[in-house]
């Protein structure tokens, strides 16, 4: 262990750009542990939140639909943890470093009702999908296939979008509240994501021979595109982002 | 519609022993609607409660195990609602009459912590399994196969039992609290179940040519055996029922 000052976050198994690793293969493996660790914990949390919020759905039909989406999240969680195991990595060890930020995101964004809860899944699902797509383009083909293979025939985002559009048509007064809520959500999500990416240098393993400055530029570009896509989704709901 | 006094519960499509139906096939179909309706709603509710309570698990490992059990419940829910549809019945219509009693059961038995939550799933899972087994022996072979086919290779009850045994070994002080809690749970579960069975005459369709008295005797015998099996399960945990 290197000595760390208080202001530096611990990084039990993440790549550390300050300690250049001599072995690119090991660096890539650590990066995969982080990538699948954060994916797995995000999916497990989404599953739990989605299925608990399902209970407050306005109709039995909504309960079953939301339940099915939650179960899908658990399915993704199982595939991702299965992949970690196949790499010889322990899923719980890989998830643990991301628990505080994911939990903090959920604690700071407690939906006031079912519609806010729906909006929250829609926003976070969209951002994560975009994030994984961006990352996939830089992965080895087999890993990329796994990450992209998590997209379903009828994506979760499309189901949620249709339901939100219906809710907004039924009650147009929802729109100003949901627009405000969408802004809070994207702010919190990107703040937490950026913290994770910078602290753990999640993307560092993809850029082993670059300098810190290049890495930070990459991260900025990525987050700008995540914000842009979020705004597009809000427009499709008729909301200003 | 027959005129009903206020004290009589509505029975939109359940068999009504006061209105002898001339058609045993239709009576059996109504019985199946009730049986699968209550199963489906019970499973949907168990799924939602189990996955929300998973979040409060003491370890990440427990969260994933409880999540998996919850997902199984949703799988059962889908098989049962699929079967209702194959009979030309609408799952939501079939579930609706049982919503008040199942919700009342859950409202009256809110677990104080994760161990009480685990105990609740263990108790209710055991009682429902026993109930379905008892009912299956009187069903047509195809329906019986579906009902019994919901039993897994590693039954949910066995997973919960092992985890509860471990918890009780780790902290023997839990035992008096969980014994008390088990008694409350079985009391509430059987009270609600008995109400459903008598009000809706759920088992009536199985006994089309018997009299009310015989039906009530059958119900008493069934509930006595449910209680006996519950006591056996409590003993396996080292608790007095």
């Amino acid at each position: 262990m290197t000595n760390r000052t208080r202001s530096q976050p611990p990084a039990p198994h993440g790549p550390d750009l300050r300690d250049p690793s001599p072995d690119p293969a090991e660096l890539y493996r650590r990066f995969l542990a982080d990538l699948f660790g954060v994916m797995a914990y995000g999916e497990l949390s989404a599953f739990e939140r989605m299925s608990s919020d399902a209970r407050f759905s306005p109709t039995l039909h909504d309960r079953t639909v939301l339940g099915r989406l939650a179960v899908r999240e658990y399915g993704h969680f199982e595939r991702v943890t299965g992949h970690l195991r196949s790499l010889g990595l322990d899923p719980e060890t890989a998830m643990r470093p991301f628990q505080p930020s994911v939990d903090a995101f959920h604690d700071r964004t407690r939906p006031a009702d079912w519609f806010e809860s729906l909006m929250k899944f829609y926003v976070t699902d969209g951002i994560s999908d975009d994030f994984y797509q961006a990352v996939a383009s830089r992965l080895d083909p087999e890993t990329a296939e796994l990450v992209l293979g998590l997209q379903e025939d009828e994506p979760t985002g499309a189901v949620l979008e249709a339901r939100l559009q219906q809710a907004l048509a039924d009650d147009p007064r929802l729109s100003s509240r949901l627009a405000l809520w969408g802004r809070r959500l994207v702010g919190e999500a990107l703040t937490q994501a950026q913290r994770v990416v910078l602290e753990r240098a999640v993307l560092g393993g993809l850029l082993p021979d670059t300098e810190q400055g290049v890495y930070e530029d990459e991260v900025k570009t990525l987050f700008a595109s995540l914000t842009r896509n979020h705004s597009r989704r809000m427009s499709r709901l008729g909301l200003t982002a």
Side-chain angles (χ1 to χ4, degrees), chain A:
Chain A
M1 284 287 284
T2 54
N3 279 324
R4 289 177 190 284
T5 65
R6 274 188 158 229
S7 65
Q8 284 170 325
H13 66 254
D16 189 336
L17 294 176
R18 287 156 300 192
D19 281 341
S21 163
D23 180 359
E26 175 55 23
L27 203 62
Y28 186 63
R29 205 174 112 93
R30 283 186 195 169
F31 157 71
L32 290 183
D34 271 2
L35 176 66
F36 289 119
V38 72
M39 279 176 85
Y41 191 70
E43 280 153 354
L44 181 64
S45 304
F47 157 72
E48 291 166 352
R49 307 265 169 174
M50 216 180 238
S51 45
S52 3
D53 291 356
R55 196 140 60 88
F56 305 104
S57 302
T59 69
L60 250 179
H61 180 73
D62 285 320
R63 276 170 76 175
T64 69
V65 171
L66 222 59
R68 195 174 309 124
L69 298 181
V71 166
R72 244 190 221 179
E73 291 291 326
Y74 195 86
H76 293 173
F77 164 78
E78 288 206 308
R79 279 160 73 182
V80 166
T81 49
H83 189 66
L84 280 166
R85 268 185 225 103
S86 76
L87 294 170
L89 295 161
D90 173 51
E92 287 165 33
T93 310
M95 284 191 271
R96 208 157 283 126
F98 303 103
Q99 222 172 327
S101 359
V102 174
D103 289 354
F105 168 72
H106 285 295
D107 286 343
R108 284 162 167 279
T109 55
R110 290 183 191 275
D113 66 6
W114 188 77
F115 297 101
E116 289 193 6
S117 159
L118 214 61
M119 184 74 173
K120 180 170 162 181
F121 296 122
Y122 179 63
V123 168
T124 51
D125 177 82
I127 294 173
S128 341
D129 272 8
D130 284 347
F131 177 77
Y132 299 140
Q133 287 229 325
V135 170
S137 65
R138 295 149 166 259
L139 294 168
D140 66 281
E142 193 205 343
T143 312
E145 202 184 304
L146 173 83
V147 169
L148 295 175
L150 297 176
Q151 312 273 345
E152 308 277 337
D153 290 340
E154 193 188 11
T156 294
V159 179
L160 294 171
E161 187 171 296
R163 186 62 187 88
L164 281 165
Q165 281 167 339
Q166 189 205 316
L168 287 159
D170 290 349
D171 182 5
R173 286 168 311 171
L174 266 179
S175 70
S176 62
R177 180 156 67 94
L178 290 188
L180 205 65
W181 177 235
R183 282 196 286 278
R184 254 191 68 196
L185 288 167
V186 73
E188 281 296 337
L190 294 184
T191 305
Q192 292 294 339
Q194 203 144 9
R195 183 172 306 160
V196 164
V197 165
L198 292 175
E199 274 182 7
R200 306 270 313 170
V202 170
L203 298 173
L206 294 176
L207 306 160
D209 49 2
T210 56
E211 289 164 22
Q212 184 78 15
V214 176
Y215 173 62
E216 281 174 4
D217 283 350
E218 293 269 346
V219 171
K220 264 186 215 148
T221 309
L222 170 64
F223 276 75
S225 102
L226 294 180
T227 310
R228 217 163 35 240
N229 286 344
H230 167 77
S231 302
R232 275 194 206 116
R233 281 189 293 271
M234 292 301 98
S235 304
R236 284 208 299 274
L237 295 178
L239 305 177
T240 38

